[in-house]
Amino acid sequence: MDVSVTGTQLALSFAGIILLMLGIILFMRRRYSSKADAGYASSGAANSIKGRNKYPGANPFSLSGTFFNLGLALALGIVALAFGWTQYEKEVFIPDDALEIEEDIEIEPPRTAEPPPPPPPPPPPVIEEVPEEEILEEEEPEFVDMSVDEETIVEAPIVEEKAPPPPPPPPPPPPEPKVEEIFKVVEQMPRFPGCENISGGDAEKKKCADQKMLEFIYKNIKYPAIARENGVEGTVVVQFVVDQDGSINDAKVVRDIGAGCGEESLRVVGLMNKQGIKWTPGKQRGRPVKVQFNLPVKFRLE
């Protein structure tokens, strides 16, 4: 027989058993107290077997079989209740269109490192035209007598001290660290963990991962009290980047409906890193890459 008992029913059953035991104890104490007041005759025998009991008329073991059967029945009942105790998981409400975004949102494209622009080309050389008159009318070279003899005094040339060379220019700055490109669409999109061992292709795994992601989001999200009191409903869009190792980075709200709903959505997304949840990273040409992900979170009053 399949018996399911909730936690409330189990607690009430234990309370009833305790009250029953207390009632039996009080009843038996009152009964034996009344018999004690009536008085029992002493046996007066010191050495006989009957003399072991001071009051032979009071037999404390007369109800031992009854109490044994009662204790056995209570023990079996407690065991049955313990095996029938069933814990029911809280039902998570997930909207049918949880992953659909009603309107196109203007999302800033991911910033990636752009190569520096090429340097401008050098200016073309300027060709100056020489007049023909200057070419034709060249002055004849002047010859100077450089011959010397024994009486010629040759003076040593004056050597001018040269200034020290200028210091070398400073080294160029180190190149900026290479920033990985962030993709918006890749061959294999990132997936929430928990569905990698199921049979099927990427489409089946993606569908299963989306369902598990929605269960995690709507199980942990709490409707802000101020939004509930003012009847605020709508869709919040949280944008984040799934890194090559599956961690969540750069989470931000790109569409907010106010009343604390954006902050609550951001808190639940950040809860993935706090609980150590690692996504299956997206892949482009078989290599893990950073992928931008847009997650809609719908707030609806029941």
Side-chain angles (χ1 to χ4, degrees):
M1 182 176 63
D2 187 10
V3 178
S4 60
V5 180
T6 62
T8 303
Q9 293 174 346
L10 184 64
L12 293 176
S13 300
F14 274 109
I17 293 172
I18 293 172
L19 292 176
L20 177 62
M21 295 298 296
L22 292 175
I24 293 174
I25 292 172
L26 293 176
F27 172 76
M28 297 307 297
R29 287 185 63 182
R30 179 170 294 183
R31 178 182 177 184
Y32 283 116
S33 177
S34 62
K35 288 187 177 182
D37 294 338
Y40 291 98
S42 177
S43 62
N47 297 323
S48 64
I49 296 177
K50 296 182 178 180
R52 290 184 303 173
N53 296 333
K54 187 175 181 180
Y55 300 103
N59 185 8
F61 300 102
S62 61
L63 298 177
S64 60
T66 304
F67 284 119
F68 177 79
N69 294 331
L70 177 61
L72 184 61
L74 291 176
L76 292 176
I78 292 174
V79 171
L81 289 174
F83 277 105
W85 182 21
T86 304
Q87 287 183 330
Y88 296 95
E89 294 185 359
K90 183 180 179 182
E91 184 178 357
V92 180
F93 172 73
I94 301 176
D96 298 333
D97 54 347
L99 291 177
E100 295 181 4
I101 302 177
E102 294 85 355
E103 303 174 1
D104 295 334
I105 56 175
E106 296 180 1
I107 300 176
E108 181 181 0
R111 297 182 180 180
T112 56
E114 298 181 358
V126 179
I127 302 176
E128 296 183 358
E129 184 179 357
V130 180
E132 296 182 359
E133 296 179 356
E134 296 181 3
I135 298 176
L136 297 176
E137 296 178 359
E138 292 183 353
E139 296 181 358
E140 296 181 359
E142 182 180 356
F143 295 95
V144 180
D145 187 8
M146 303 292 291
S147 59
V148 295
D149 53 15
E150 296 179 356
E151 298 179 353
T152 304
I153 299 172
V154 179
E155 296 180 355
I158 300 174
V159 180
E160 298 180 356
E161 295 182 358
K162 295 183 179 180
E176 296 182 358
K178 185 179 180 181
V179 180
E180 293 288 341
E181 184 179 1
I182 300 176
F183 295 85
K184 296 180 69 175
V185 179
V186 291
E187 296 173 354
Q188 179 180 325
M189 294 296 290
R191 298 192 294 262
F192 195 81
C195 298
E196 298 306 313
N197 296 327
I198 67 171
S199 60
D202 290 340
E204 289 78 7
K205 293 181 179 180
K206 183 70 168 59
K207 183 178 179 180
C208 172
D210 290 343
Q211 182 65 24
K212 288 188 175 295
M213 178 190 65
L214 293 175
E215 290 177 358
F216 174 84
I217 293 295
Y218 289 97
K219 181 179 179 180
N220 292 280
I221 204 163
K222 298 178 181 178
Y223 213 112
I226 187 173
R228 187 183 298 275
E229 293 173 359
N230 293 276
V232 177
E233 295 182 331
T235 303
V236 175
V237 180
V238 180
Q239 181 185 99
F240 53 87
V241 176
V242 181
D243 214 334
Q244 292 99 326
D245 60 351
S247 59
I248 302 299
N249 295 317
D250 302 332
K252 59 182 178 180
V253 178
V254 295
R255 178 196 286 178
D256 196 358
I257 58 176
C261 295
E263 290 80 0
E264 177 63 17
S265 303
L266 203 60
R267 182 192 68 82
V268 175
V269 172
L271 200 61
M272 299 180 188
N273 285 339
K274 291 183 179 180
Q275 295 186 1
I277 297 176
K278 297 290 186 180
W279 285 48
T280 301
K283 293 184 179 180
Q284 181 72 8
R285 298 179 181 177
R287 180 175 62 91
V289 293
K290 295 182 177 181
V291 182
Q292 184 185 85
F293 195 90
N294 298 319
L295 174 65
V297 181
K298 299 184 182 297
F299 288 86
R300 292 180 181 174
L301 294 171
E302 297 180 358

